[in-house]
Amino acid sequence: MNTIDRIAEMQAAAKALRDAGKRVAFVPTMGALHAGHLSLIELAKANADAVVMSVFVNPAQFAAHEDLSKYPRPFERDVELAAGGGVDILFHPAAEEMYPQGFQSYVNLEPVSMHFEGAVRPLHFRGVATVVAKLFNIVKPHAAVFGQKDAQQLTLIRQMIKDLAFDVEIIAAPIVREPDGLAMSSRNIYLTPEARAEATVLSQSLGLGKKLIAKSEPSPQVIVSQVRAMIRTQPLAQPDYVAIVSADTFIVAEELRKGETYFLLLAVRFGTTRLIDNLLFTC
Ligand code: PAF
C-alpha cells in the first residue's frame, strides 16, 4: 500500500491509475477504522480495480464546542487495517494541506443539511460536502463508497453529485452490526455498560418498524409513535428524533407511497453519547 500526504502527489497517482485504464473506487474516512470501514473497503474492491482510502479528520465538519483535538487518531493501526483490507493508496493529508491559509470556498446544500443531524450540528454538512467535493477533485474516483448508517450524509452526497455534475457513482454500504444488533460506530466505546445493554433497543425498534411496514401499516405517524414508545421502555434512552423521510430528499413523509424509498431514522441519547441508526425500505 502506498501512503500519500500531498495533494499534487495524489492527483498524479490518480491520473496514472486512470491512464492505465483502471477503475478507481474511493473510500473517504476520518480514520479510527473498525469493521464497518472494512466492509466499505470490501465493497470498493468488488466494484473497482484499485481502491483509494482517505484518512482525514476534517476540521470543517466540527463545531467549536466539539473537541476536534480529542477525535481518535490511531494512524498506525489504521495503516495496518487499510493495508490488510486491500487498500492500494492511503491518502492522509494534513489539515494545512487541505485548508491552506486563504481557503474560502465552501459547498452548502439547503434544505437537506438543515434538519435532523444538521439541526444539532449546524455547519457539519457544509464541512462534509466541502471536503468530499475537494477529495473527489483530488482522487478523481469512478465510484465512492459511503455507509448507509450516515443516511443524511448519503442523501446529501447524492444531491451534491446531481447538482454539481460530479461524474462519480455513489455506492451505499449496508450497516454493519454487532452480534446483538447494535450498529457499529466509533461512539459505541463511550457507552457505559448499562447504556450499552439498553442500546440494543435501537435495532429492536427498527425491527418493530420493519414488521409494521411489512404489514402495510399506511401511516408513518403510527410507525414513528410505536417505535418511539419502544425506545422509551429503556430508562436511559432519550430519543432525539424518530422519523420517516424520503431517501431522495430527506423530507418527512406525510404518507407512504408505493414504489417510493424511505429511511426510518433514529437518534437516541444515552447520557452524553448520541447514537443514530436507520432502516432503508421501499414501499
Ligand atoms: O463519514 C465520514 O467519516 C466523514 O463525514 C467523511 C465522509 C469522511 C467526510 O469527512
Side-chain angles (χ1 to χ4, degrees):
M1 187 179 73
N2 186 8
T3 302
I4 294 177
D5 56 14
R6 304 310 293 248
I7 292 174
E9 202 186 325
M10 183 63 241
Q11 282 175 319
K15 182 173 180 321
L17 286 171
R18 280 194 169 243
D19 288 352
K22 305 265 192 225
R23 180 174 158 85
V24 178
F26 177 44
V27 182
T29 80
M30 299 211 298
L33 303 182
H34 53 66
H37 295 106
L38 299 183
S39 78
L40 305 186
I41 300 173
E42 277 306 308
L43 208 49
K45 280 200 305 191
N47 280 278
D49 307 307
V51 176
V52 178
M53 171 179 263
S54 60
V55 169
F56 177 61
V57 181
N58 175 30
Q61 67 190 76
F62 286 78
H65 69 276
E66 294 171 335
D67 203 340
L68 173 66
S69 66
K70 287 216 178 102
Y71 196 86
R73 291 169 173 83
F75 186 60
E76 274 164 28
R77 190 169 170 273
D78 287 349
V79 169
E80 265 171 41
L81 288 173
V87 169
D88 298 287
I89 300 177
L90 186 74
F91 180 50
H92 178 56
E96 308 75 53
E97 181 76 358
M98 291 294 279
Y99 299 105
Q101 197 75 38
F103 183 95
Q104 50 186 300
S105 304
Y106 290 91
V107 180
N108 196 29
L109 285 86
E110 285 177 7
V112 64
S113 66
M114 293 165 71
H115 312 297
F116 301 108
E117 293 308 294
V120 281
R121 307 178 75 189
L123 291 177
H124 172 72
F125 286 120
R126 184 183 82 148
V128 171
T130 301
V131 82
V132 171
K134 183 157 184 170
L135 288 167
F136 282 175
N137 284 331
I138 296 167
V139 176
K140 299 183 178 61
H142 296 87
V145 184
F146 290 85
Q148 182 202 306
K149 167 120 186 311
D150 291 309
Q152 193 168 2
Q153 171 170 283
L154 185 60
T155 299
L156 172 108
I157 298 297
R158 285 198 161 121
Q159 186 68 43
M160 181 182 82
I161 293 284
K162 201 159 84 181
D163 290 347
L164 301 184
F166 277 101
D167 192 9
V168 180
E169 180 196 350
I170 300 301
I171 300 170
I175 298 174
V176 179
R177 298 183 179 280
E178 302 286 356
D180 66 2
L182 181 66
M184 284 195 186
S185 162
S186 30
R187 292 184 190 170
N188 293 351
I189 54 165
Y190 301 120
L191 293 167
T192 61
E194 296 75 23
R196 172 66 187 80
E198 287 191 15
T200 54
V201 77
L202 271 76
S203 59
Q204 287 161 5
S205 64
L206 289 175
L208 170 64
K210 196 172 178 177
K211 273 191 201 141
L212 294 168
I213 293 154
K215 280 189 195 150
S216 303
E217 166 54 58
S219 159
Q221 296 80 4
V222 168
I223 299 169
V224 163
S225 82
Q226 293 207 23
V227 166
R228 184 183 286 273
M230 184 165 186
I231 295 169
R232 283 199 175 281
T233 60
Q234 300 305 305
L236 299 173
Q238 297 288 332
D240 211 348
Y241 58 75
V242 179
I244 294 181
V245 298
S246 154
D248 286 341
T249 61
F250 239 72
I251 292 172
V252 172
E254 299 301 333
E255 54 178 350
L256 298 180
R257 296 212 182 114
K258 235 187 162 36
E260 297 277 315
T261 302
Y262 302 93
F263 286 111
L264 167 54
L265 301 174
L266 311 178
V268 181
R269 288 179 197 273
F270 291 89
T272 52
T273 307
R274 187 169 171 280
L275 301 180
I276 57 170
D277 202 347
N278 68 76
L279 171 76
L280 179 67
F281 66 95
T282 301
C283 279

